[in-house]
Amino acid sequence: TTTTVPATTTTTTPKPATPTVVTPAPAVATVDDKGRKALDKVFAFIQASNAFEAIIDKNEKSLSGSKNQTQKIKMLSKKPGRVKFDVLEHTNPNTVGAKLSYTRGSGKATVRPGGALKFITKEFPMNDSNITTPNEYTPDQVDFFALIERLSLPTYKAELNGKSNIDGKDVYLIKITGSNNSLDSKITHEIIGFDPTTFQPVFWEAYAGEDLPYMKTTIKSFTALSDIPD
C-alpha cells in the first residue's frame, strides 16, 4: 500500500522595509553670506559701546571739479546720533582747530572756527557749502551712523574680497556694491577694510569706476567711551 504524504507549505511573512533616513547636508555659506556676516560684525564692533572717539585721516577729491581735501579729525560720537568733529589737520590751514557738532536729523550743525575766532559759534544748515565735502556730501551723510544705516540695507551686496597688509598687519577686505548707491550714484563700489580678529574697521573707500578711490577714510585709532563731553 502506498501512502502519499501531502507537501507542507511554509508561509513566510516578509519583514516591513526599513525606511532610509536621509540626513540633509549642512548649509554651506556662500561668498555673499560670508561678506554680509563680516560686515555685520564690523558694524557690531562700532555699535558695541554707547560712545567712542576715533582719530581719522580723510582724503576726498571732487568728481566734478578740481577740489581736493585732506584732513585729520578727532571724531566723537554718541548714541543715538550725537557727533562732534575736531579738525587737527587740514588742506586749508585756517580750518585747523575748528570744531563742528550736530545731532543727526536736526538739519543743522554748530561750528566754532579755529584761530582767533575760536570763541565765536555759528549755526549752519547741514548743506551749507562751508561744511560740506568736495562732493557736496553733508557731514551726516558720511559719519559712522550714516555708513551703518546705508550699507545695512538689503539693496547692497557685500562680499569678501581678499586681504591687504597695512603696517605689517593683515587687513581683510569687504567689497560692497549696489545697483543705485544712495550716497552718490557715481559710486561703483566701496571697500571696507577690517581687522580679522577684532572686526575693528581700518578704512572705508569709495570708488567711481577708477582704480584708485576718490574718497578714503582711514581709522587710525578707535576708543570706546561711556560718554562724550558737551
Side-chain angles (χ1 to χ4, degrees):
T1 304
T2 302
T3 304
T4 302
V5 179
T8 303
T9 302
T10 303
T11 303
T12 303
T13 303
K15 295 180 180 179
T18 303
T20 303
V21 178
V22 179
T23 303
V28 178
T30 66
V31 173
D32 289 355
D33 290 338
K34 292 178 180 178
R36 175 51 67 180
K37 287 179 180 177
L39 186 60
D40 288 344
K41 288 182 179 179
V42 172
F43 291 164
F45 177 94
I46 297 171
Q47 296 176 305
S49 57
N50 185 57
F52 65 82
E53 175 187 300
I55 302 298
I56 294 170
D57 286 344
K58 185 176 179 184
N59 304 292
E60 183 178 342
K61 67 176 183 178
S62 172
L63 293 173
S64 58
S66 58
K67 187 176 181 181
N68 295 327
Q69 188 181 86
T70 299
Q71 60 180 326
K72 180 188 287 289
I73 59 176
K74 179 172 76 172
M75 178 182 183
L76 293 162
S77 185
K78 179 184 177 182
K79 295 176 181 177
R82 183 71 175 153
V83 181
K84 302 179 77 172
F85 294 134
D86 292 352
V87 181
L88 307 177
E89 298 175 14
H90 200 279
T91 306
N92 180 357
N94 294 328
T95 305
V96 175
K99 299 178 184 295
L100 180 147
S101 62
Y102 60 89
T103 299
R104 288 180 56 78
S106 67
K108 59 187 178 181
T110 300
V111 177
R112 177 177 292 175
L117 300 177
K118 64 182 179 181
F119 298 107
I120 300 173
T121 60
K122 185 176 180 180
E123 255 187 19
F124 287 94
M126 195 62 78
N127 60 356
D128 191 286
S129 60
N130 284 292
I131 61 174
T132 56
T133 76
N135 289 290
E136 299 182 354
Y137 305 146
T138 61
D140 61 352
Q141 285 183 305
V142 289
D143 61 28
F144 281 111
F145 290 115
L147 183 71
I148 294 172
E149 183 178 299
R150 181 171 62 86
L151 297 185
S152 293
L153 295 173
T155 50
Y156 290 92
K157 174 183 174 184
E159 58 182 324
L160 291 175
N161 194 48
K163 64 181 180 179
S164 183
N165 189 281
I166 298 178
D167 297 331
K169 296 180 180 180
D170 283 341
V171 175
Y172 282 31
L173 309 176
I174 305 171
K175 182 178 181 180
I176 302 154
T177 54
S179 57
N180 185 19
N181 195 294
S182 58
L183 173 60
D184 194 321
S185 60
K186 298 184 186 72
I187 295 176
T188 53
H189 66 281
E190 298 167 72
I191 299 287
I192 289 180
F194 67 95
D195 182 308
T197 303
T198 63
F199 289 91
Q200 176 176 324
V202 177
F203 64 81
W204 163 45
E205 298 174 332
Y207 293 76
E210 300 177 353
D211 292 335
L212 296 175
Y214 75 90
M215 181 169 65
K216 181 169 184 173
T217 298
T218 303
I219 299 94
K220 306 298 289 185
S221 68
F222 189 101
T223 306
L225 303 171
S226 59
D227 205 346
I228 62 175
D230 294 331

